[in-house]
Amino acid sequence: MVFKLNNHLLSGIASSNGHGEDSPYFEGWKAYDSNPHHLTENPDGVIQMGLAENQLCFDLIQDWLKNNPKASICTPEGVNEFREVAIFQDYHGLPEFRNAVAKFMEKVRGNKVTFDPDRIVMNGGATGAHETIAFCLADPGEAFLVPTPYYPGFDRDLRWRTGVKLIPVDSESSNNFKVTREALENAYEMAKLDNIKVKGLLITNPSNPLGTMLDRETLRSIVSFINEKNIHVVCDEIYAATVFSQPDFISIAEILQEDIECNLDLVHIVYSLSKDMGFPGLRVGIIYSYNDAVVSCARKMSSFGLVSSQTQHMIASMLSDDEFVGKFIRESKRRLAARHRIFTYGLAQVSIKCLKTSNAGLFLWMNLSGLLKENTFESEMALWRVIIHEVKLNVSPGCSFHCTEPGWFRVCFANMDDQTMQVALSRIRTFVNKDVDTKKPKKTLRWQGSLKLTSPRIYDDFINSPRSPIPRSPLVRART
């Protein structure tokens, strides 16, 4: 017997595409998953350059694990701790875990700030942390401002299950996509005209996808802005330890120690070990809030996405090793800088430029506007499909990051070995030198027109727009 799926039997979430899986960002992953590159077994496969993973220092982690077998409860040396750790279920987290994470966050920020372990709330990765903070700060229909270009996963993390809206704050390449007070004010006022209540501002520092940092002046302007509007600021600082050259990283926590007026109850930090340590699979996400009520609520909500006690136990031991942590941070910065230098040099050989102010992250913001047949997002998508299906590189188009200018792409460089990187660069050189034809395909495209929208471009409207390059399933529709 065959049963047909009746969407009316499902919830609104189950029958919607609010997850954003149809975005070009995730579509590129599917292309890689169906034909993954391997140096010997599948040399003609798709190279994954759309995944921001830090795989450059796994040898240091492996050496530490070999030298510290007691850190794991699944080794003969650590098995005596198995019972106590395995039965632990307190959603506050192991005290030694919270202490070690707080200390690590301080070290990453140059020991210029201090963090209270009692304000550390654990979550299942930064994804869980962002959703939890959204639940704590906003009700369905209320909104967060988000400077563009921004990480596509935010459209899922902050809004899919919460019903919260995201309002892009436009930035431009003419000033290296800097966040300006004028743009913030414009987005805020436009939201008010549309009767949308703005509850907060989400910033990513260092930026994904730009690989840039917010300078002190900009951070102070942001703190003043949220204080004047009496709205929250959520600071995603998950790339804090990936800053590989001057200037040094400046945390929002450092700004709060300066002579600046701010209601601390409005400030919250999201952190994780996925990028700085290269542990996305361990799902270690952190909320650090200066608001007692948020800490209390977020801790209760963390019951739905705890970090396993086994992981907490190992991480506490590793991050408490000051000598190892210091060595890891230094060496990670050195290797990221070297990889960044080699990759940008390789691109420059074929006249491909990247955002010059980038000095952090695991990726480059690559300008391919010179390869566009027209200065449109249709042309960007056409070029992207050639890169995915013919050049076989999974890079992410700027439109999936809500960039307002066509031709920008994010390319990740730290998730592969040196040989694979050279293969990727070789493919890029061949592609550019052959001047691959990226004219509009003969088949009728499912997307039409330009993506140049006026503020506020709320995500719910964006994804349902007939001008959006994101294909909509005939079975489901995004809900507002």
Side-chain angles (χ1 to χ4, degrees), residues 6-58:
N6 296 313
N7 281 351
H8 70 275
L9 297 177
L10 304 177
S11 70
I13 288 179
S15 58
S16 76
N17 65 348
H19 179 276
E21 196 173 49
D22 289 336
S23 162
Y25 176 73
F26 291 109
E27 189 177 332
W29 285 24
K30 295 173 186 176
Y32 166 78
D33 288 339
S34 65
N35 184 26
H37 171 269
H38 188 278
L39 285 170
T40 56
E41 297 179 8
N42 190 26
D44 295 326
V46 177
I47 296 178
Q48 174 63 287
M49 307 187 79
L51 182 59
E53 278 188 347
N54 188 356
Q55 298 187 20
L56 301 184
C57 289
F58 273 151

Side-chain angles (χ1 to χ4, degrees), residues 353-372:
K353 296 181 180 180
C354 299
L355 195 63
K356 291 183 178 181
T357 52
S358 170
N359 71 327
L362 312 173
F363 31 72
L364 296 166
W365 192 232
M366 181 172 62
N367 187 354
L368 299 185
S369 60
L371 300 180
L372 300 180

Side-chain angles (χ1 to χ4, degrees), residues 57-69 324 327:
C57 289
F58 273 151
D59 58 318
L60 302 182
I61 301 294
Q62 290 172 341
D63 288 344
W64 187 90
L65 291 172
K66 291 176 183 178
N67 295 328
N68 296 270
F324 167 76
K327 176 184 177 182

Side-chain angles (χ1 to χ4, degrees), residues 170-191:
D170 291 341
S171 61
E172 301 175 349
S173 61
S174 59
N175 67 347
N176 295 315
F177 298 98
K178 186 174 181 178
V179 182
T180 66
R181 180 63 179 261
E182 180 182 5
L184 291 172
E185 293 281 2
N186 178 59
Y188 182 84
E189 293 302 322
M190 291 296 292

Side-chain angles (χ1 to χ4, degrees), residues 338-349:
R339 178 61 66 87
H340 181 275
R341 182 172 59 253
I342 294 171
F343 207 90
T344 52
Y345 177 79
L347 294 177
Q349 297 307 296

